[in-house]
Amino acid sequence: MSQLSKTELRQQARARLRTLTPAEIAAKSDAIREHLIAQVLDTLPSGSGVALFGGLRFEVDLLTLLPELSDRRLRAFYFRVAHDHMFAVEIASHDDLKRGTLGVWEPEDSLPALTDLSLLKVILTPGLAFDPTNGARLGRGAGYYDRFLSQADLQAHPIGVGFDCQIMTGIPMDLHDVRIHSLATET
């Protein structure tokens, strides 16, 4: 049996995600947030930076983690996309976010991009599919996260965040693909 291409795997992943109802997405997102609070946020020292994502219909809803970060004195970051790159930007609340051109939550344009990447300790990373056997992450195809995560001065821990239905095996990896060593799902 031949290995499926990334395009074919993206089609499969999108089909799986489309089977989820809004109620299922909400319930699964709640479970994922609880796992992230207990296993990630509660382990970080005060002042640590955590990068979040969100805004797409079939993604885990992480926006409600903002008060949890604040309660733990952790710093919240979202990404702004400009040209072919992503830039981390610190936000104080959801009021600092807007819908970007790709439909995801992005920081307001007036907020400055982070210049000291050492402030980021954890990067919660989206994907269409994840392969826990080899750390492969199947993104949407634009390479934004791979470029960001491959920066030499970035030492943050990337954690793939998705639903159980997004776990697949046999995801091919190209040289530029960055492995995800941790995965958070509803289970």
Side-chain angles (χ1 to χ4, degrees):
M1 183 173 159
S2 66
Q3 187 172 3
L4 295 177
S5 71
K6 285 185 176 183
T7 300
E8 293 166 319
L9 289 170
R10 283 187 183 97
Q11 291 170 345
Q12 278 189 7
R14 286 184 179 104
R16 288 180 182 186
L17 287 168
R18 284 191 295 271
T19 67
L20 298 176
T21 66
E24 289 173 319
I25 290 172
K28 291 173 188 293
S29 290
D30 287 345
I32 292 167
R33 284 191 302 270
E34 291 303 315
H35 292 308
L36 289 170
I37 289 166
Q39 297 172 15
V40 178
L41 301 186
D42 285 344
T43 67
L44 294 173
S46 179
S48 296
V50 178
L52 307 170
F53 67 87
L56 297 181
R57 181 175 174 205
F58 293 105
E59 279 186 338
V60 176
D61 177 12
L62 297 178
L63 198 57
T64 57
L65 274 180
L66 288 176
E68 300 291 342
L69 292 173
S70 179
D71 290 349
R72 288 161 177 76
R73 292 186 173 86
L74 300 173
R75 299 167 73 173
F77 292 84
Y78 271 78
F79 292 105
R80 177 183 301 131
V81 174
H83 308 290
D84 287 338
H85 297 283
M86 288 192 326
F87 301 91
V89 177
E90 187 170 6
I91 65 160
S93 75
H94 72 277
D95 293 333
D96 290 338
L97 298 171
K98 63 177 179 143
R99 292 288 184 168
T101 55
L102 301 175
V104 298
W105 290 118
E106 285 190 9
E108 290 290 344
D109 294 336
S110 61
L111 298 172
L114 178 67
T115 56
D116 181 4
L117 293 180
S118 70
L119 294 175
L120 287 175
K121 300 303 179 201
V122 171
I123 299 174
L124 301 180
T125 309
L128 285 172
F130 302 91
D131 185 341
T133 65
N134 67 359
R137 175 190 149 276
L138 184 66
R140 297 186 181 278
Y144 291 114
Y145 274 88
D146 289 314
R147 283 190 293 281
F148 187 85
L149 294 172
S150 66
Q151 295 179 82
D153 53 344
L154 182 69
Q155 296 181 12
H157 181 71
I159 299 173
V161 179
F163 305 116
D164 284 342
C165 69
Q166 293 176 269
I167 294 175
M168 296 181 169
T169 56
I171 297 174
M173 291 195 70
D174 296 321
L175 290 176
H176 65 272
D177 291 334
V178 176
R179 290 185 193 281
I180 302 294
H181 299 285
S182 298
L183 181 60
T185 70
E186 66 268 26
T187 60

